Amino acid sequence: MKAGNIMSTRKVISIVEDEKDLNELVKRYLEKEGYEVRSYLTFDDAYEHTTDDDVHLWILDIMLDDKSGFDLIEEIRMHSPNVPVIFMSARDKEFDRIIGLEKGSDDYITKPFSPKELVLRVNNLIKRTYRNDNSRIQIDGYEIDESQRTVYEGGKELELTTKEFDLLMLFVKNKGTAFLREQILEKVWDVNYFGSDRVVDDTLRRLRKKMPNLSIHTIYGFGYRLG
């Protein structure tokens, strides 16, 4: 799916809304904007995911069966104090709005609302919150945070050595470019490296084992290329 122009990578949004049609409608609009959307219809479904590390924004309905979005935000805030939260409510009560803000929500929208208005609010919040979050790169199902030198798959961090990460970044930043082993050695291990170019093959073998979905191709008699 084509990402919207507001994001360098796909941001994840979790919606908790027990009205199935509204849930679907909001999900569709956000996906069209390029977001990855996870939707939950009940408090209990959502509760199991309040510790998810890869969610960029939550949209919570205030009234959920016998529980409320206020209970959910407390769980979310315990684990992710900085993730933005938008409350939705059918009750346009100043009281709800104030409690929402006290509980740490970032925005509040009253039903019925235009899905386009919600999308605008989401875009603004995401832009504001992740202004400097451009160092994350998505490739072959992996998320790479270059500034932190970390790699994630499905929210789980992969353990890479310094050279494995350097090798990965060489390919990622030069996708489609074929490199000779000697060139890789020079760029990743530096010009004065004394040793066999087998070190390239060995490091790449370890990298492929840790990141099996990475589409690094061997060009026989030449070297390697990503994509």
Side-chain angles (χ1 to χ4, degrees):
M1 191 179 296
K2 189 166 142 289
N5 57 8
I6 62 150
M7 297 165 286
S8 58
T9 62
R10 295 235 297 167
K11 297 277 189 280
V12 178
I13 296 179
S14 290
I15 307 170
V16 191
E17 166 57 67
D18 55 7
E19 288 177 48
K20 202 166 188 293
D21 292 346
L22 181 59
N23 194 316
E24 266 304 307
L25 183 69
V26 171
K27 184 173 190 276
R28 264 208 317 277
Y29 267 84
L30 289 169
E31 283 176 342
K32 219 159 63 184
E33 194 70 11
Y35 294 105
E36 181 187 321
V37 182
R38 298 170 191 168
S39 69
Y40 308 106
L41 291 165
T42 68
F43 177 93
D44 293 336
D45 283 350
Y47 182 82
E48 286 176 29
H49 294 275
T50 51
T51 56
D52 288 358
D53 281 328
D54 57 344
V55 178
H56 295 90
L57 183 140
W58 284 84
I59 298 172
L60 307 179
D61 186 19
I62 289 181
M63 302 296 288
L64 294 164
D65 305 329
D66 54 339
K67 299 261 183 38
S68 84
F70 295 145
D71 300 315
L72 268 182
I73 195 174
E74 286 182 1
E75 291 300 323
I76 293 163
R77 284 280 171 260
M78 269 164 58
H79 186 76
S80 312
N82 301 317
V83 72
V85 174
I86 296 176
F87 273 129
M88 301 186 288
S89 174
R91 307 180 306 183
D92 186 18
K93 289 185 183 166
E94 198 60 23
F95 178 65
D96 276 352
R97 196 179 291 262
I98 289 165
I99 291 184
L101 291 170
E102 278 179 352
K103 296 275 187 191
S105 78
D106 300 85
D107 204 348
Y108 183 103
I109 192 163
T110 308
K111 301 176 192 176
F113 53 80
S114 145
K116 284 182 179 170
E117 186 194 342
L118 181 63
V119 167
L120 281 175
R121 290 183 184 216
V122 166
N123 287 350
N124 289 337
L125 249 181
I126 290 278
K127 268 187 200 163
R128 252 195 353 254
T129 312
Y130 302 102
R131 197 172 288 144
N132 303 315
D133 190 31
N134 296 328
S135 59
R136 288 218 163 183
I137 302 158
Q138 303 266 3
I139 193 151
D140 296 338
Y142 301 101
E143 189 171 30
I144 303 163
D145 188 323
E146 194 184 354
S147 61
Q148 301 281 329
R149 291 179 66 84
T150 50
V151 181
Y152 299 92
E153 182 181 16
K156 185 170 169 283
E157 190 178 337
L158 305 179
E159 297 285 331
L160 297 193
T161 65
T162 303
K163 287 299 178 225
E164 285 163 5
F165 189 85
D166 292 343
L167 185 60
L168 171 66
M169 289 314 297
L170 174 70
F171 284 120
V172 166
K173 290 193 161 180
N174 299 278
K175 199 176 175 191
T177 304
F179 287 104
L180 288 158
R181 283 180 181 76
E182 295 74 34
Q183 289 175 304
I184 296 172
L185 209 52
E186 201 173 290
K187 289 174 188 299
V188 176
W189 277 267
D190 96 33
V191 184
N192 303 315
Y193 175 79
F194 294 108
S196 156
D197 62 7
R198 292 280 314 159
V199 72
V200 173
D201 301 333
D202 291 342
T203 307
L204 190 62
R205 196 174 62 246
R206 291 200 310 272
L207 187 62
R208 278 171 163 165
K209 199 173 174 186
K210 291 176 183 180
M211 301 176 72
N213 301 325
L214 203 60
S215 56
I216 294 179
H217 304 286
T218 303
I219 303 163
Y220 291 100
F222 185 85
Y224 301 101
R225 184 189 75 232
L226 174 67

